[in-house]
Every structure is written in structure tokens, then in C-alpha cells.
Amino acid sequence: MHIISCIPNQLRHYLVDTLKDRLLSAGPFMDHTGGLVIVEVESVQEAEEIAKNDPEVLEEKFEYVVHPWEPLEGLFTKSK
């Protein structure tokens, strides 16, 4: 299962150190309205844990939204 977690201005070290191999992609929106983090997890609950333990979320600087996502084509589809 793939999950999209929208967390504005995510700290790079948190992404690399905490998410490691689960991180597929991350970055800010070019219009500076937030950001996007795509992680590979087993459940929505796992994605919620990742997002709610973000240092910026814990300090109430940012909010997050978690959405299940199923890629159909492109870079994020698994090889058969």
C-alpha cells in the first residue's frame, strides 16, 4: 500500500533518518502552500504514526493529512 502524507516543509533529516527505505519521494509544492511525502507502508495507521511524530507536527508548526494512494502508471508502480 502506498500512502501520501502531506506535511508542509518537511525536515530533510527527519525524512532520511526516520523513513529510510520507506520514503519514495518528498518535496515542497512550488506555490509554497505545503508539501508532499510519499511513503511505502503496510497500513494507514503506520502512515498516521509517521506523520504525527514529525517534529514540526509535534511542535504544532504544521498539520498533516494522510491519504491512501494506489499508483497505476509511472515511476511508482512495482515491476511484475
Side-chain angles (χ1 to χ4, degrees):
M1 173 184 278
H2 291 51
I3 303 293
I4 298 176
S5 177
C6 297
I7 305 173
N9 302 314
Q10 182 64 279
L11 297 173
R12 185 176 185 89
H13 71 85
Y14 177 73
L15 292 173
V16 173
D17 294 344
T18 303
L19 302 181
K20 297 182 182 169
D21 294 336
R22 297 179 290 178
L23 179 65
L24 297 179
S25 188
F29 298 139
M30 293 182 72
D31 62 3
H32 307 287
T33 60
L36 177 72
V37 179
I38 303 175
V39 293
E40 179 99 31
V41 294
E42 294 297 320
S43 67
V44 172
Q45 292 78 16
E46 185 179 353
E48 288 280 344
E49 285 297 313
I50 290 168
K52 77 179 184 181
N53 287 300
D54 176 290
E56 301 295 312
V57 171
L58 291 172
E59 293 179 19
E60 298 181 352
K61 292 180 180 178
F62 303 118
E63 297 177 355
Y64 69 90
V65 178
V66 174
H67 297 278
W69 178 57
E70 183 64 37
L72 299 176
E73 282 296 327
L75 297 174
F76 300 110
T77 56
K78 293 184 178 181
S79 301
K80 295 182 180 182

